[in-house]
Amino acid sequence: SQTIHQWPATLVQPVGSPLSLECTVEGTSNPNLYWYRQAAGRGLQLLFYSVGIGQISSEVPQNLSASRPQDRQFILSSKKLLLSDSGFYLCAWGEGGPFHNEQFFGPGTRLTVL
Amino acid sequence: EDKVVQSPLSLVVHEGDTVTLNCSYEVTNFRSLLWYKQEKKAPTFLFMLTSSGIEKKSGRLSSILDKKELFSILNITATQTGDSAIYLCALTRGGSNYKLTFGKGTLLTVNP
């Protein structure tokens, strides 16, 4: 069965510091991978998605970047965090085929920027 | 731009009540509508709906889609305190690499 891992679970960082959040998926090959942010207003906003190694699409302009160095690894980064980067970051994977649109989420990372 | 609007934004009920959560949408080239339940952390998948009028059911939860009127409902019968959560509606459209566009969710609180 497939599992998705994210770490760290919580993170408190000062403004201006770098960020690296990691997501890995087990039990599947060539998944579509997604990074979402959930702010206090509860909606999930898609930040990045990837359909393959080295392929990253950005949904919204922001202070963050993403990379996919391996098939089942997805990394979210920032060189200098802003206060507005605080939130709950969720990684998700999906098969991406026409009959399997559902995505499955990791446990999330709660980031607080002070 | 795709839109997903959920109502109500929050709801408080007593155990045993039946609730109906609403999700209306606007999208070009609709592919599917999905429901998730989010308790403390990650959203967990409930249903995916692609065809109008076909009810999906899992225990006390059921959902149906109306592609003509562009909405879906999620019903929960005989609610329990464990049903307390945020319920999220999302949709995908064709040619989008299966990206999900989420609504803001309905916060359901079930009191004993």
Side-chain angles (χ1 to χ4, degrees):
Chain A
S1 67
Q2 300 88 0
T3 53
I4 178 167
H5 305 277
Q6 279 187 251
W7 63 93
T10 59
L11 193 57
V12 180
Q13 292 283 98
V15 168
S17 64
L19 174 75
S20 181
L21 304 181
E22 190 158 344
C23 170
T24 59
V25 182
E26 295 175 1
T28 187
S29 295
N30 197 29
N32 287 356
L33 296 172
Y34 307 84
W35 277 111
Y36 291 88
R37 178 169 57 207
Q38 187 175 33
R42 292 184 271 145
L44 273 74
Q45 181 186 38
L46 178 64
L47 302 176
F48 301 95
Y49 70 93
S50 171
V51 300
I53 295 174
Q55 300 179 59
I56 308 294
S57 296
S58 173
E59 283 296 292
V60 292
Q62 61 207 306
N63 183 42
L64 302 166
S65 62
S67 61
R68 185 170 177 175
Q70 300 179 46
D71 182 45
R72 288 167 288 178
Q73 184 185 30
F74 205 22
I75 297 171
L76 184 69
S77 304
S78 173
K79 291 183 181 174
K80 285 187 178 182
L81 283 168
L82 306 173
L83 286 173
S84 57
D85 292 324
S86 292
F88 189 45
Y89 288 84
L90 288 157
C91 179
W93 75 272
E95 290 186 7
F99 304 111
H100 298 283
N101 297 178
E102 60 268 41
Q103 292 175 20
F104 302 95
F105 288 83
T109 295
R110 191 161 302 281
L111 171 66
T112 304
V113 182
L114 301 174
Chain B
E1 187 181 323
D2 301 342
K3 265 189 188 177
V4 180
V5 179
Q6 292 187 245
S7 63
L9 288 181
S10 63
L11 187 57
V12 180
V13 301
H14 291 290
E15 266 193 318
D17 288 350
T18 293
V19 297
T20 298
L21 310 183
N22 303 288
C23 176
S24 63
Y25 63 89
E26 293 176 24
V27 64
T28 306
N29 193 12
F30 172 91
R31 182 183 291 278
S32 62
L33 186 143
L34 296 92
W35 284 97
Y36 285 84
K37 177 184 181 182
Q38 186 177 24
E39 297 176 82
K40 293 202 182 338
K41 290 197 172 180
T44 53
F45 172 74
L46 295 174
F47 300 113
M48 184 176 78
L49 304 155
T50 56
S51 301
S52 271
I54 298 175
E55 186 183 55
K56 293 266 179 114
K57 201 168 167 64
S58 175
R60 295 176 294 103
L61 278 66
S62 63
S63 183
I64 199 159
L65 174 67
D66 185 328
K67 287 166 76 172
K68 185 178 173 191
E69 300 298 329
L70 306 182
F71 76 91
S72 173
I73 59 171
L74 176 69
N75 277 323
I76 309 175
T77 59
T79 52
Q80 302 170 358
T81 54
D83 295 327
S84 297
I86 295 173
Y87 290 84
L88 295 162
C89 174
L91 56 80
T92 67
R93 57 179 169 85
S96 68
N97 285 314
Y98 312 103
K99 296 180 291 182
L100 292 175
T101 299
F102 279 88
K104 291 196 171 174
T106 293
L107 173 61
L108 174 65
T109 304
V110 181
N111 289 324

